[in-house]
Amino acid sequence: MATSILSIGQSALAAAQVGISVTGHNIANAATPGYSRQEVIQSAALAQDFGFGYIGQGTIVSNIRRVYSDLLAQQLNTAQSSSSATSTYATYMGQIDNMLADPTTGLAPSIQKFFSSIQALSSNPGDAATRQAVLSSANSLVGRFQSLGDQLNEIREGFNQELATSTQLVTTYASKIAQLNDTISKAVGANKDNLPNDLLDQRDHLVAEMSKLVKTTVNPQDDGSYNLFIGNGLPLVVGNKSFGLTTVRSTKDTGRVEVAYVSNMVKPLADSMLAGGTIGGLLQFRAGALDSIQNQLGQIATVLTQTFNTQHNAGYDANGNIGSNFFNVPTPDIYGDSANSVGASLNVNITNTSALTSSDYQLKYDGTNYIVTRLSDNSSQSFASLPQTLDGLTFNGTMAAGDSFLIEPTRNAASKLSVALSDINKIAAADATGGNGNNRNALLLAGLQSQGTLNNSSATYENAFAQLVSFVGNKTNELRVNSAAEETLLAQATAAQQSESGVNLDEEATNLLRYQQAYQAAGKLMQVASSLFDLLLTIGH
């Protein structure tokens, strides 16, 4: 009996030691990202029948359990993915909002100053200083357009860099998860009852980090591994095999970066395939805001300068010569598909600024018809031949069946704008009676400021810019509200997950004291058992 008591004491001592070790492990990792607290699972050792009844034989540590909820973890990952997407979108929109809405550095003051100088010219067309002021304000206006366009291009470059970094991280995480899958499945295969808790935490932490970058779905497998899908069902990790993401230049637009899926080949993905996370937010920002904003700014720049040129060309300068172009107006950007036939070419000219939209276009030839698609609403028109005119654009060129072109009529217009005149005497303020005192064309030029020149004659230059600023401001506010709501949901999901799996140092301190007392009691029990055994030996002598 004494040896039985000693054995019971030893089991209690061993269980207390394990408890202290596990508690210490929890305390040590309280601040470790992704760590889930662990707890000792004990059970009674098999009792022994002594004839008069069964006497317990102490305790055994049956398992070290990781306190973890798949449901709470998935809810947290989903909340993280949504929050990251909205936050990313909101951050980029905030940059544009600050840039466009500034009352001193925005575009509106420069437009007003330019037309004020034209008004002054109409009052004193022969004055050299007034003419010089027109050129100075014109250069200031162009400089403002260029600055805004360049800043949008810088935002686009920052976008491209963040997209590249994010896709690289996804690939890195996928590789690490696949490696952990392999290690975990081997450990589970060796002993399905005892799981490698710390390895599981490492893998789940990587999944959580992945969810910050893109929407992530986990399918646990019987062997302990994860199959991981991102976006709208794209397989990224299958067992110990991983795939990846990268960025590539578009075959349709060499200035555009696309996300591509890397398996046995590199395949560009539609933006709709990658929802959620930083990547999803970035793609939403480009498709829903950046492209449109840059196009609208370019539309205002194109229409303002081209309509001004048209009226300026109708006047006469101080030397009695017919007016020339006041501004250099950029032509539409055209990108041929990399698979186009040799010799395929396309020319696109802006022939009606009032009908010009802020959309991009795609032109395809199927061997019979030329199909022009307005990409802002995906509406298409078919033509049997070229040239053809649509939305103020005239298309003409040579194409073979299967050829296609992407047309961006206004995307980079603001950045490429410039003033064509440098000689104040070439400002065409007069009409055909001519002379330095003639201001009739200057009055017509000044009148352009209040005319409906954009969007089918429905908006002035300043109206169009105000509408753009309003769109940006409203969208930014909407995203800020949504981002705040998503952050609240994320905080709630985090709190719920941490209440289940997080380490509470007060609780662990209590456990440490409890196991310490159990250890001391087990030691006392073994001391008693030893004394009894010694007594039995004495009696035997």
Side-chain angles (χ1 to χ4, degrees), residues 33 51 67 116 131 192 197 213 274 330 344 361 364 377 395 401 458 495:
V67 182
S116 293
R131 285 176 171 265
K192 291 186 178 181
N197 294 327
L213 299 171
L274 295 166
Y361 297 80
K364 290 183 176 181
D377 59 7
F395 302 84
S458 65

Side-chain angles (χ1 to χ4, degrees), residues 189 261 334 446 505 508:
Y261 180 60
I334 303 171
L505 290 176
E508 297 304 323

Side-chain angles (χ1 to χ4, degrees), residues 207-337:
V207 172
E209 291 298 300
M210 180 88 76
S211 70
K212 295 178 183 179
L213 299 171
V214 67
K215 176 184 174 184
T216 306
T217 304
V218 174
N219 285 343
Q221 304 299 300
D222 292 339
D223 64 353
S225 66
Y226 280 171
N227 286 350
L228 203 64
F229 300 85
I230 59 172
N232 294 324
L234 197 68
L236 192 69
V237 178
V238 179
N240 61 4
K241 185 176 182 180
S242 68
F243 305 97
L245 297 179
T246 189
T247 52
V248 296
R249 291 288 175 180
S250 169
T251 59
K252 296 176 172 53
D253 178 357
T254 55
R256 191 176 187 84
V257 169
E258 295 180 336
V259 179
Y261 180 60
V262 181
S263 53
N264 57 343
M265 61 182 295
V266 177
K267 180 182 179 182
L269 299 171
D271 290 355
S272 59
M273 287 294 295
L274 295 166
T278 299
I279 292 175
L282 286 169
L283 296 177
Q284 278 186 301
F285 163 68
R286 181 173 65 184
L290 180 59
D291 289 348
S292 175
I293 292 167
Q294 208 162 359
N295 285 359
Q296 288 181 62
L297 181 65
Q299 179 193 15
I300 296 169
T302 299
V303 174
L304 189 157
T305 53
Q306 192 151 317
T307 52
F308 195 89
N309 276 354
T310 300
Q311 186 60 54
H312 192 262
N313 292 341
Y316 288 80
D317 64 19
N319 300 319
N321 298 319
I322 194 167
S324 58
N325 281 347
F326 191 95
F327 295 100
N328 293 315
V329 184
T331 57
D333 292 325
I334 303 171
Y335 302 93
D337 193 287

Side-chain angles (χ1 to χ4, degrees), residues 146-431:
Q146 291 174 343
S147 177
L148 292 174
D150 290 346
Q151 288 179 68
L152 288 173
N153 281 329
E154 288 174 5
I155 290 174
R156 187 177 291 274
E157 282 302 312
F159 163 96
N160 290 343
Q161 292 173 9
E162 186 167 4
L163 192 63
T165 300
S166 297
T167 55
Q168 289 171 3
L169 277 175
V170 166
T171 303
T172 300
Y173 290 154
S175 176
K176 290 181 178 179
I177 290 170
Q179 292 171 14
L180 284 168
N181 269 349
D182 186 54
T183 304
I184 290 169
S185 63
K186 288 176 181 177
V188 171
N191 188 343
K192 291 186 178 181
D193 294 328
N194 296 327
L195 300 179
N197 294 327
D198 293 324
L199 292 180
L200 297 178
D201 280 343
Q202 290 176 33
R203 184 178 62 183
D204 286 324
H205 179 60
L206 288 172
V207 172
E209 291 298 300
M210 180 88 76
S211 70
K212 295 178 183 179
L213 299 171
V214 67
K215 176 184 174 184
T216 306
T217 304
V218 174
N219 285 343
Q221 304 299 300
D222 292 339
D223 64 353
S225 66
Y226 280 171
N227 286 350
L228 203 64
F229 300 85
I230 59 172
N232 294 324
L234 197 68
L236 192 69
V237 178
V238 179
N240 61 4
K241 185 176 182 180
S242 68
F243 305 97
L245 297 179
T246 189
T247 52
V248 296
R249 291 288 175 180
S250 169
T251 59
K252 296 176 172 53
D253 178 357
T254 55
R256 191 176 187 84
V257 169
E258 295 180 336
V259 179
Y261 180 60
V262 181
S263 53
N264 57 343
M265 61 182 295
V266 177
K267 180 182 179 182
L269 299 171
D271 290 355
S272 59
M273 287 294 295
L274 295 166
T278 299
I279 292 175
L282 286 169
L283 296 177
Q284 278 186 301
F285 163 68
R286 181 173 65 184
L290 180 59
D291 289 348
S292 175
I293 292 167
Q294 208 162 359
N295 285 359
Q296 288 181 62
L297 181 65
Q299 179 193 15
I300 296 169
T302 299
V303 174
L304 189 157
T305 53
Q306 192 151 317
T307 52
F308 195 89
N309 276 354
T310 300
Q311 186 60 54
H312 192 262
N313 292 341
Y316 288 80
D317 64 19
N319 300 319
N321 298 319
I322 194 167
S324 58
N325 281 347
F326 191 95
F327 295 100
N328 293 315
V329 184
T331 57
D333 292 325
I334 303 171
Y335 302 93
D337 193 287
S338 60
N340 280 358
S341 62
V342 176
S345 64
L346 179 68
N347 294 316
V348 180
N349 294 311
I350 300 172
T351 52
N352 182 358
T353 54
S354 178
L356 183 67
T357 74
S358 60
S359 179
D360 297 331
Y361 297 80
Q362 185 181 61
L363 174 63
K364 290 183 176 181
Y365 182 55
D366 63 9
T368 302
N369 292 311
Y370 296 89
I371 305 164
V372 181
T373 303
R374 184 168 53 224
L375 298 180
S376 60
D377 59 7
N378 288 318
S379 62
S380 299
Q381 291 192 32
S382 298
F383 305 98
S385 62
L386 294 180
Q388 295 291 340
T389 299
L390 177 68
D391 293 345
L393 300 171
T394 299
F395 302 84
N396 195 13
T398 302
M399 300 172 66
D403 289 346
S404 69
F405 289 88
L406 174 70
I407 302 96
E408 296 177 350
T410 64
R411 175 70 52 83
N412 296 300
S415 297
K416 295 179 178 180
L417 208 61
S418 63
V419 178
L421 294 185
S422 58
D423 184 351
I424 61 174
N425 292 318
K426 290 188 177 181
I427 298 176
D431 64 3

Side-chain angles (χ1 to χ4, degrees), residues 40-53:
V40 179
I41 305 301
Q42 289 180 232
S43 57
L46 187 64
Q48 183 177 353
D49 185 2
F50 281 85
F52 52 80

Side-chain angles (χ1 to χ4, degrees), residues 34 70 91 101 115 190 204 218 268 275 311 329 397 424 484 498 507 527-528:
D70 289 329
T91 298
F115 280 101
D204 286 324
V218 174
Q311 186 60 54
V329 184
I424 61 174
Q498 283 297 298
E507 182 180 339
Q527 184 181 3
V528 171

